[in-house]
């Protein structure tokens, strides 16, 4: 035990001598030299901390870009892939937006889409919308007129300066007549002979679509299908500005049975993609309908059970002479003039 104490004492003496030697080696000649040394040590530590911080930030960015972002995108629809063309056919996203617009809007048509990826399951969709009423610039291509967004699988309108994604109430009869049809016709008779007229028509009674197609001819732009069993009344376009799919350009020459097939095809496409478009809303006449999973399915079921194909509300456009001749020989309960141009050219 005595030997162990001697060894411990010798070890402590050696450590004390080493510490004293180290302190003597670190001894500075003056305060300035000591301050410089301290500054050097501090700067070295700052550089180490800054380097570690930069590494952590860069690692976080890499993780977000290459790990988190792709994982988030996996859980939501990819708008870029939905907008990829299938050969000569339009993309699934374009077909969906065209179906939505012609189901809801009498005088609007989606003609083009461009998708920009924002990351984390979010996309900006630049949309070109054609106005069949001639109120805004008519055209198939050109600058986007409506900016939409798809955020985590849901579509919404971000910018609509020309109101091309805004549903206007009062286009068709909703129980109240503000101006009698004969008074509207009298006002139209005062227009120049070159006038080109866009007008929404509501009949007293529903007519077979085939009869309206024959009577209106090329003037018939859009019809709302009459289905009294359903609160929501869907429509289908006959005058197509952009022939995106085979047969689009031939719609004015199709039979009412063929138009009904297109009508049902649009509704089924909307039903299959309900979660994508539901936040855009559903409108008909002067009503905003509460969108539920069975809203469109109810319309499909009613149409498939009904052998008839009728309409009470529709949208026509044509020369003053043709439109007046049509209106004077039609039992109208309500007329809403959408637009009047000096001629077909504007």
């Amino acid at each position: 035990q005595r030997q162990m104490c001697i060894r411990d004492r010798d070890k402590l003496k050696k450590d004390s001598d080493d510490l004293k030697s180290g302190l003597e080696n670190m001894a500075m000649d003056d305060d300035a030299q000591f301050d410089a040394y301290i500054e050097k040590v501090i700067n070295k530590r700052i550089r180490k901390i800054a380097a570690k911080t930069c590494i952590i930030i860069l690692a976080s960015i890499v993780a977000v870009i290459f790990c988190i972002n792709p994982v988030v995108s996996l859980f939501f629809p990819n708008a870029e892939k939905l907008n990829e063309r299938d050969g000569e056919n339009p993309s699934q996203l374009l077909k969906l937006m065209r179906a939505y617009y012609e189901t809801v809007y009498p005088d609007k048509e989606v003609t083009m889409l461009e998708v920009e990826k924002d990351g984390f399951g979010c996309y900006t969709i630049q949309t070109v919308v054609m106005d069949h009423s001639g109120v805004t610039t008519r055209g198939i291509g050109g600058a986007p007129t409506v900016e939409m967004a798809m955020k985590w699988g849901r579509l919404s309108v971000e910018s609509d300066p020309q109101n091309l994604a805004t549903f206007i109430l009062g286009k068709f009869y909703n129980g109240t007549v503000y101006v009698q049809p004969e008074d509207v016709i009298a006002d139209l008779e005062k227009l120049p002979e070159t006038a080109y007229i866009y007008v929404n028509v509501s009949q007293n009674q529903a007519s077979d679509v085939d009869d309206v197609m024959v009577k209106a001819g090329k003037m018939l732009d859009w019809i709302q299908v009459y289905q009294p069993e359903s609160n929501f009344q869907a429509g289908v376009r006959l005058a197509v500005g952009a022939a995106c799919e085979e047969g689009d350009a031939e719609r004015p020459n199709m039979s009412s049975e063929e138009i009904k097939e297109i009508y049902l095809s649009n509704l089924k496409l909307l039903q299959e993609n309900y979660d994508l478009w539901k936040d855009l809303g559903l409108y008909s006449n002067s009503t905003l309908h509460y969108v539920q999973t069975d809203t469109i399915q109810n319309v499909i079921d009613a149409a498939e059970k009904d052998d008839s194909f009728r309409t009470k509300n529709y949208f026509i456009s044509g020369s003053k002479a043709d439109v007046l001749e049509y209106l004077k020989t039609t039992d109208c309960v309500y007329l809403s003039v959408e637009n009047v141009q000096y001629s077909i050219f504007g």
Side-chain angles (χ1 to χ4, degrees):
Q1 186 177 1
R2 187 165 180 264
Q3 287 179 348
M4 287 179 61
C5 291
I6 293 172
R7 280 199 303 270
D8 291 341
R9 184 189 63 190
D10 292 342
K11 188 175 183 298
L12 287 172
K13 186 176 184 301
K14 185 177 182 301
D15 291 342
S16 177
D17 292 340
D18 290 342
L19 178 59
K20 183 178 180 181
S21 176
L23 290 172
E24 287 175 352
N25 290 335
M26 291 174 60
M28 306 297 169
D29 294 336
D30 52 32
D31 291 343
Q33 189 176 3
F34 179 75
D35 291 342
Y37 173 77
I38 295 298
E39 184 177 354
K40 181 179 179 181
V41 171
I42 293 173
N43 289 339
K44 186 176 181 181
R45 288 210 172 180
I46 290 173
R47 284 195 295 271
K48 284 184 178 180
I49 294 171
K52 288 181 180 179
T53 303
C54 289
I55 291 171
I56 292 171
I57 292 173
L58 289 172
S60 300
I61 293 173
V62 170
V64 167
I65 294 174
F66 295 101
C67 299
I68 300 175
N69 185 22
V71 170
V72 171
S73 298
L74 286 175
F75 289 95
F76 302 102
N78 187 323
E80 288 182 316
K81 289 186 178 180
L82 288 173
N83 200 41
E84 291 177 355
R85 292 176 63 94
D86 180 16
E88 295 299 319
N89 297 318
S91 69
Q92 190 72 6
L93 184 59
L94 179 57
K95 287 196 290 186
L96 175 63
M97 292 310 302
R98 285 176 63 80
Y100 173 80
Y101 259 75
E102 74 169 291
T103 298
V104 175
Y105 293 93
D107 52 3
K108 307 294 190 299
E109 176 187 357
V110 174
T111 60
M112 290 177 61
L113 292 176
E114 290 183 3
V115 175
E116 302 168 4
K117 186 175 182 179
D118 299 328
F120 299 97
C122 300
Y123 305 85
T124 297
I125 303 172
Q126 302 294 348
T127 311
V128 179
V129 179
M130 183 177 181
D131 186 352
H132 283 267
S133 70
V135 174
T136 59
T137 304
R138 297 183 65 163
I140 295 176
T145 48
V146 177
E147 182 178 296
M148 295 188 177
M150 183 186 286
K151 296 181 179 178
W152 307 301
R154 293 188 172 186
L155 286 165
S156 61
V157 177
E158 296 293 301
S159 176
D160 181 25
Q162 294 179 304
N163 295 322
L164 295 172
T166 303
F167 188 83
I168 308 299
L169 303 177
K171 290 179 180 289
F172 299 112
Y173 180 65
N174 63 356
T176 303
V177 177
Y178 299 100
V179 181
Q180 295 299 321
E182 54 269 25
D183 294 332
V184 175
I185 292 172
D187 288 339
L188 294 177
E189 287 180 324
K190 300 174 185 178
L191 296 171
E193 296 305 314
T194 58
Y196 199 83
I197 301 169
Y198 304 84
V199 60
N200 301 297
V201 180
S202 292
Q203 295 185 173
N204 263 312
Q205 302 294 328
S207 297
D208 287 338
V209 170
D210 191 56
D211 293 338
V212 177
M213 290 175 67
V214 170
K215 184 178 178 181
K218 301 291 184 181
M219 291 191 297
L220 188 59
D221 287 327
W222 181 90
I223 61 168
Q224 183 183 85
V225 179
Y226 179 65
Q227 292 185 234
E229 307 87 352
S230 173
N231 290 325
F232 171 65
Q233 303 286 290
V236 63
R237 175 159 296 287
L238 279 80
V240 178
C244 292
E245 293 187 80
E246 185 178 356
D248 276 351
E250 300 302 318
R251 286 197 194 185
N253 302 318
M254 288 182 178
S255 66
S256 59
E257 290 81 6
E258 291 172 310
I259 296 298
K260 185 175 182 178
E261 288 179 9
I262 295 172
Y263 167 75
L264 282 169
S265 176
N266 287 339
L267 291 174
K268 290 175 181 178
L269 182 61
L270 291 175
Q271 181 64 24
E272 291 167 4
N273 297 275
Y274 165 80
D275 287 328
L276 283 178
W277 61 265
K278 65 179 181 180
D279 288 344
L280 296 177
L282 271 183
Y283 311 86
S284 63
N285 299 345
S286 296
T287 306
L288 166 62
H289 297 271
Y290 178 64
V291 185
Q292 296 177 299
T293 53
D294 60 351
T295 302
I296 296 296
Q297 190 59 52
N298 290 340
V299 181
I300 295 171
D301 293 341
E304 289 180 334
K305 291 176 184 176
D306 191 355
D307 292 333
S308 66
F309 191 46
R310 297 178 296 164
T311 182
K312 287 180 73 174
N313 301 321
Y314 46 90
F315 174 59
I316 64 173
S317 63
S319 67
K320 173 186 173 182
D322 291 342
V323 169
L324 284 176
E325 181 183 357
Y326 181 87
L327 296 179
K328 288 177 179 180
T329 57
T330 302
D331 185 18
C332 303
V333 67
Y334 183 79
L335 295 175
S336 168
V337 178
E338 194 71 36
N339 188 30
V340 174
Q341 296 180 164
Y342 181 74
S343 72
I344 191 173
F345 303 107

